[in-house]
Amino acid sequence: MSETVLDPVVPRFSIIVPVFRVQGFLRECMDSVLAQDFTDFEVIAVDDCSPDRSGAILDEYAARDERVQVLHLPENVGLGLARNAGLEKIRGEYVLFLDSDDTLTPGALGALAERLDATGSPEILIFDYARTYWDGSVRRNLLADRLDESGAPSFTLAERPEILDLLQIVWNKAYRRDFVEEHGFTFPVGYYEDAPWTFCTLITAKSIAVLDRVCLHYRQRRQGGNILRTTSRKHFDVFDQYERVFSYLDAHPELSRWRPHMFRKMIDHYLTVLDKPGRLPQNATAEFFHRAARDYRRRLPAGFVRPAGVAGGKYALLAKDAYPALAGLKVAGKVQRTVRKHAGKKVRQAKKKAMDLRYQALLRQPLDENLAVYSAYWNRLPACNPLAIYEKAKELAPHIHGVWVVKQQLADSGEIPAGVDHVVLNSPRYWEVMARAKYLVNNVNFADGVVKREGQVHLQTHHGTPLKSMGVDQKRYPAAAKGMSFRKLLARADRWDYSLSSNQHTTEQWERVYPCNFESLDAGYPRNDVYYRASAQDVLDIRERLGVAPGKTAILYAPTMRDYQVGYVPRLDLEKISRELGEDFVLLVRTHYFYDQDARLQELQERGAIIDVSGHPVVEELCLAADALVTDYSSIMFDYANLDRPIINYTDDWDTYVRSRGVTFDLLSGKPGDTPGVLATTEDELIDAFRSGRWDDERATELRAAFRARFCQWDDGHAAERVVRRVFLGQETTPEPLPQEERTVAPAPRTAAAAAGLIKLPAPRAAADDEVTGAAASGTSDSSGVELAG
């Protein structure tokens, strides 16, 4: 077990955070702790051999904050034993437990410290929590009245036994360390490990206090994240946990008064497991019931009075070991609930039309194990990550036949490359391949009407690294949401088996904003493979097709769309930019694909001010052709960074963009890893960046390197291969990404032109001489002093 070491100062709080497969939520958890205004604490973060990058995230925090101590366990031991590992390292006066997908509320630690002082340092302080949901709603604990602070500052459980009605978990309490150590409290293995700890500590404590304040937000994961929701025989562990509770009572006869209370909690817990759908395998329910009945008879205290109502009826059935009667009671209850649910509803509109009978019939036919369906950008032409995967699958998995989904107008246009099998959206063959294909690959989502069959594999490749907020985060930004149904969005994401990512930032974002049960595929973006495979001649050929002469400095201007605007609204006077930079520069202008062709751009092109490349089908070719990229907030910057060429961000409306759309990090911070290069907020600043040479100076190069290291993490030219091997061939995700220093990127246009003898590169100049005048440059050299050959 590896660990970092802290100094011997005793903090007020030790916060134990067990960590396993939570990389999408872990930063929020850690930030909620480290941002507390009360700072006298230590964090013992226990990496329970998490298979994702949670451990690396913890190491980042430990490197930045000495209060964070990280334990990396050599094998996965489960929640209880991971907490025990943390307990061995604590030094604080009080210990808190925080699950790694939950968060502390602002000011929580300060409030806890203040209440501990006010109540005379009790052995246990119980505080309140609220459940938080994916849709942003927050619901406080319904039994918050049990935390009434009136009366004695501290008390025993005998004085306020109603405390046992609270949800008995460990993370809503602060425990005095000497109390825990004196009694040797530890966590057991298995499910429901909180039960022995919470009950044994509460009945033992001589002083308990309460804090009527929400100090913790308990994340209700929409899917996954809670093993208690999984169907498993591991739920039988609950019997062992209550065996431990009663063994503790046996060893402490002075606590015998609590036997009836523990009996009631035990039986209620057993009945909860029985009543919760999906916890027990169907063939194990009767067995569980009979074991519960045995414990009932074995542990029944003398004089015990059953609760009233339905609950008391279930107690009676357990006492008689009458499983068939309980099963009948559950069915009757379900029917009754269904009747109540529908009785008060108004008459609704007619139901949606039944699914096409032919599609239903196709869904009953066997899957075609050798068929894959591809789509990109809402059924436009083959492109992006799906196209790169399609091409690589033809090479590595030729037995899998690929079919593309396209719109009718594209099928009629003749633009689809020869030899590419395709179907028209909503045509009979479309429904056939959607029903029977083993693999479905898309960089957006397939239509709501597509049924995810058992055995089908959905690969969501996405189409960019997210700077802007996505998924459920968009709920906070009405301009971005635009009436979006987030329940439908997540229902579509529920179909994903794999979610592709090119860097850790993206993986964490997708796992957080799409709270579904997919597997993150950290393979890189296949569309970026070309940046590591293109040759110098490829670069020159693309520029020639675009009409960019050798020696010209081509600037690709590719802005993104604005949620707060309708249609394409030019943010730059492109004619002015072209004129001021001079004839040695050429602007390649590409509007966002959401916008139709713009007549103003066509007019500028006709006057020779720009080259309009909005309709060019392959954006990767435009990046290869460009000497530099000017963009705003478009995800193209993350892809272009692979080429290690200058990036300039024109951010004249950053504040408005952030307010209307939201962002995942501060692009304008100027910090390495956040900002890819020069920033400009006015046209004059943008022009000056090129004229002065700042666009490609030492500072810009340093920023670009850090940005590339962060966001081109797994892009190395082999992403498509990794995807095909993992998804289509069931192999390991290989080869491992190359270290950045070992990657060979496509040559820059000037380097390619020089290698071909088309231009001569100047000798290196001192920084003091590196002035770029642009407009004053001669006709035989570009703004960097490149001379034309011959």
Side-chain angles (χ1 to χ4, degrees):
M1 180 171 66
S2 61
E3 60 188 74
T4 53
V5 180
L6 291 175
D7 62 47
V9 176
V10 176
R12 188 67 184 279
F13 297 109
S14 292
I15 305 170
I16 296 176
V17 184
V19 176
F20 185 76
R21 281 186 173 168
V22 287
Q23 62 183 357
F25 303 101
L26 182 54
R27 293 185 191 276
E28 189 176 355
C29 171
M30 295 295 291
D31 290 344
S32 77
V33 177
L34 299 180
Q36 293 286 315
D37 49 14
F38 183 92
T39 60
D40 188 15
F41 62 85
E42 66 175 356
V43 177
I44 311 297
V46 185
D47 170 20
D48 192 14
C49 202
S50 185
D52 60 8
R53 287 174 171 77
S54 294
I57 294 172
L58 292 176
D59 289 338
E60 289 179 30
Y61 279 90
R64 296 199 302 263
D65 196 315
E66 63 180 5
R67 295 172 297 178
V68 179
Q69 180 180 3
V70 182
L71 307 182
H72 293 287
L73 302 185
E75 61 181 1
N76 177 248
V77 297
L79 182 58
L81 298 189
R83 286 172 175 163
N84 289 344
L87 283 170
E88 294 177 3
K89 301 297 179 182
I90 62 173
R91 299 172 297 114
E93 296 176 34
Y94 281 84
V95 58
L96 294 165
F97 298 95
L98 178 63
D99 287 353
S100 48
D101 56 353
D102 296 337
T103 55
L104 294 181
T105 60
L109 293 183
L112 289 172
E114 183 178 335
R115 185 61 178 166
L116 288 170
D117 290 340
T119 54
S121 300
E123 292 170 326
I124 301 176
L125 174 63
I126 306 173
F127 52 87
D128 207 5
Y129 64 91
R131 289 177 167 86
T132 61
Y133 297 82
W134 67 266
D135 61 1
S137 59
V138 179
R139 300 175 190 172
R140 189 173 183 178
N141 165 35
L142 295 176
L143 299 178
D145 61 327
R146 305 296 196 275
L147 300 175
D148 182 8
E149 295 178 9
S150 62
S154 65
F155 51 86
T156 65
L157 187 62
E159 293 169 321
R160 291 180 64 172
E162 67 273 12
I163 290 296
L164 287 173
D165 295 335
L166 293 168
L167 182 64
Q168 293 308 320
I169 26 74
V170 302
W171 41 253
N172 67 338
K173 303 173 184 70
Y175 301 89
R176 208 170 68 204
R177 178 164 62 94
D178 61 0
F179 166 69
V180 172
E181 292 175 344
E182 176 187 355
H183 295 280
F185 292 122
T186 59
F187 291 91
V189 298
Y191 284 18
Y192 307 107
E193 72 290 325
D194 281 11
W197 173 286
T198 52
F199 289 133
C200 294
T201 55
L202 283 173
I203 64 178
T204 302
K206 294 182 174 61
S207 59
I208 302 172
V210 294
L211 172 60
D212 186 11
R213 182 191 192 279
V214 172
C215 293
L216 182 142
H217 279 162
Y218 176 27
R219 187 186 301 275
Q220 302 299 287
R221 300 273 285 273
R222 182 176 168 273
Q223 290 187 5
N226 188 341
I227 60 175
L228 301 185
R229 296 178 184 172
T230 59
T231 302
S232 171
R233 286 189 62 87
K234 291 288 289 179
H235 292 285
F236 280 75
D237 289 351
V238 72
F239 297 114
D240 294 333
Q241 308 301 13
Y242 282 96
E243 184 69 29
R244 293 182 173 97
V245 172
F246 281 93
S247 293
Y248 186 82
L249 288 170
D250 292 341
H252 296 82
E254 72 277 10
L255 301 175
S256 60
R257 64 169 294 170
W258 296 109
R259 284 184 179 275
H261 295 273
M262 294 300 99
F263 178 80
R264 178 174 60 84
K265 300 303 292 186
M266 177 185 73
I267 298 305
D268 286 347
H269 205 159
Y270 290 174
L271 290 172
T272 296
V273 175
L274 282 165
D275 287 341
K276 290 290 185 181
R279 287 201 183 183
L280 294 169
Q282 289 186 352
N283 60 1
T285 305
E287 178 187 353
F288 187 96
F289 181 89
H290 295 313
R291 285 196 60 178
R294 184 182 66 183
D295 274 8
Y296 187 103
R297 295 190 299 272
R298 187 162 62 103
R299 302 291 187 192
L300 179 65
F304 179 78
V305 178
R306 297 173 189 151
V310 174
K314 293 180 179 180
Y315 272 55
L317 294 177
L318 272 179
K320 298 175 182 177
D321 198 6
Y323 174 70
L326 179 69
L329 184 65
K330 290 176 68 176
V331 171
K334 182 177 181 180
V335 171
Q336 192 176 45
R337 288 192 300 272
T338 301
V339 170
R340 284 199 302 265
K341 179 180 179 181
H342 293 286
K345 288 184 178 180
K346 297 180 179 180
V347 177
R348 300 188 178 206
Q349 295 179 344
K351 292 182 178 180
K352 293 181 179 179
K353 293 181 180 179
M355 189 184 303
D356 180 77
L357 293 177
R358 184 170 182 273
Y359 184 43
Q360 292 187 44
L362 290 166
L363 290 171
R364 292 191 291 270
Q365 292 186 16
L367 289 176
D368 186 340
E369 299 289 330
N370 296 320
L371 179 62
V373 175
Y374 297 85
S375 181
Y377 297 117
W378 297 274
N379 310 303
R380 290 179 170 88
L381 290 172
C384 192
N385 293 316
L387 178 59
I389 295 168
Y390 166 81
E391 295 291 352
K392 183 58 68 172
K394 289 196 299 182
E395 173 189 337
L396 298 180
H399 61 285
I400 296 177
H401 178 67
V403 179
W404 283 86
V405 180
V406 298
K407 297 177 181 178
Q408 180 70 61
Q409 58 266 40
L410 292 173
D412 296 338
S413 69
E415 296 179 70
I416 300 173
V420 173
D421 191 6
H422 59 277
V423 295
V424 173
L425 181 66
N426 290 326
S427 66
R429 189 177 175 225
Y430 163 81
W431 290 110
E432 179 180 354
V433 296
M434 295 304 294
R436 300 201 57 202
K438 171 73 174 181
Y439 306 99
L440 293 100
V441 182
N442 207 333
N443 68 354
V444 290
N445 277 305
F446 287 102
D448 292 346
V450 172
V451 174
K452 168 68 178 298
R453 293 181 61 180
E454 183 177 354
Q456 279 187 326
V457 176
H458 280 232
L459 168 60
Q460 171 58 260
T461 74
H462 305 281
H463 53 276
T465 290
L467 168 63
K468 62 187 178 185
S469 64
M470 297 289 289
V472 297
D473 277 0
Q474 291 176 256
K475 285 181 65 67
R476 302 197 297 268
Y477 304 98
K482 295 180 180 176
M484 180 190 302
S485 169
F486 288 93
R487 292 188 183 277
K488 288 184 178 180
L489 172 67
L490 294 182
R492 293 189 287 269
D494 282 337
R495 298 182 300 205
W496 305 351
D497 293 288
Y498 296 99
S499 169
L500 188 58
S501 172
S502 62
N503 52 68
Q504 181 65 21
H505 167 82
T506 299
T507 297
E508 293 176 26
Q509 291 297 319
W510 293 157
E511 291 191 6
R512 187 177 60 80
V513 303
Y514 298 110
C516 305
N517 276 341
F518 54 79
E519 174 185 330
S520 291
L521 188 54
D522 298 338
Y525 276 161
R527 70 184 185 188
N528 294 336
D529 285 353
V530 66
Y531 299 139
Y532 298 90
R533 298 185 177 276
S535 67
Q537 191 60 50
D538 292 330
V539 173
L540 296 176
D541 289 346
I542 295 168
R543 285 170 67 95
E544 183 178 4
R545 291 198 300 270
L546 294 173
V548 180
K552 294 277 191 178
T553 298
I555 301 172
L556 174 60
Y557 174 51
T560 191
M561 61 167 292
R562 302 296 195 275
D563 294 295
Y564 64 89
Q565 292 177 336
V566 178
Y568 171 63
V569 178
R571 308 202 67 82
L572 286 173
D573 183 341
L574 296 174
E575 188 169 24
K576 173 185 174 182
I577 300 293
S578 176
R579 181 178 64 251
E580 294 294 327
L581 292 183
E583 62 182 15
D584 293 321
F585 286 84
V586 59
L587 295 181
L588 308 176
V589 180
R590 184 178 182 85
T591 58
H592 193 273
Y593 55 83
F594 275 7
Y595 300 134
D596 294 328
Q597 197 170 32
D598 189 80
R600 289 164 292 187
L601 295 182
Q602 290 180 301
E603 182 182 348
L604 288 174
Q605 178 167 264
E606 291 170 0
R607 296 210 301 265
I610 67 165
I611 298 176
D612 183 5
V613 293
S614 301
H616 193 81
V618 185
V619 70
E620 291 79 22
E621 290 187 352
L622 303 179
C623 291
L624 286 166
D627 295 273
L629 171 70
V630 174
T631 186
D632 39 26
Y633 323 116
S634 171
S635 66
I636 195 174
M637 75 178 93
F638 303 103
D639 302 319
Y640 192 79
N642 280 282
L643 291 167
D644 195 19
R645 302 178 192 173
I647 300 172
I648 301 90
N649 293 94
Y650 181 67
T651 57
D652 65 317
D653 64 338
W654 171 253
D655 291 340
T656 302
Y657 187 83
V658 171
R659 287 195 302 270
S660 64
R661 180 67 198 226
V663 294
T664 60
F665 66 94
D666 185 0
L667 180 71
L668 273 59
S669 74
K671 297 177 182 178
D674 284 353
T675 305
V678 172
L679 300 171
T681 58
T682 67
E683 292 175 348
D684 289 340
E685 287 178 358
L686 180 61
I687 293 167
D688 179 70
F690 284 99
R691 283 180 165 178
S692 68
R694 288 190 301 111
W695 67 293
D696 197 17
D697 65 9
E698 184 176 351
R699 171 60 176 165
T701 301
E702 291 173 353
L703 287 172
R704 185 167 70 249
F707 191 82
R708 187 172 181 236
R710 179 182 181 187
F711 292 111
C712 304
Q713 189 174 357
W714 302 315
D715 289 340
D716 65 348
H718 299 283
E721 178 180 354
R722 285 189 281 269
V723 172
V724 172
R725 292 192 182 282
R726 180 71 181 92
V727 177
F728 292 159
L729 300 178
Q731 300 173 358
E732 294 296 319
T733 310
T734 57
E736 287 291 324
L738 291 169
Q740 290 214 350
E741 61 273 14
E742 296 180 17
R743 303 175 192 178
T744 302
V745 73
R750 275 176 278 184
T751 303
L758 300 176
I759 61 172
K760 295 179 181 179
L761 292 178
R765 293 177 296 173
D769 299 327
D770 195 20
E771 282 295 321
V772 180
T773 58
S778 71
T780 57
S781 69
D782 72 5
S783 60
S784 297
V786 174
E787 296 181 6
L788 297 178

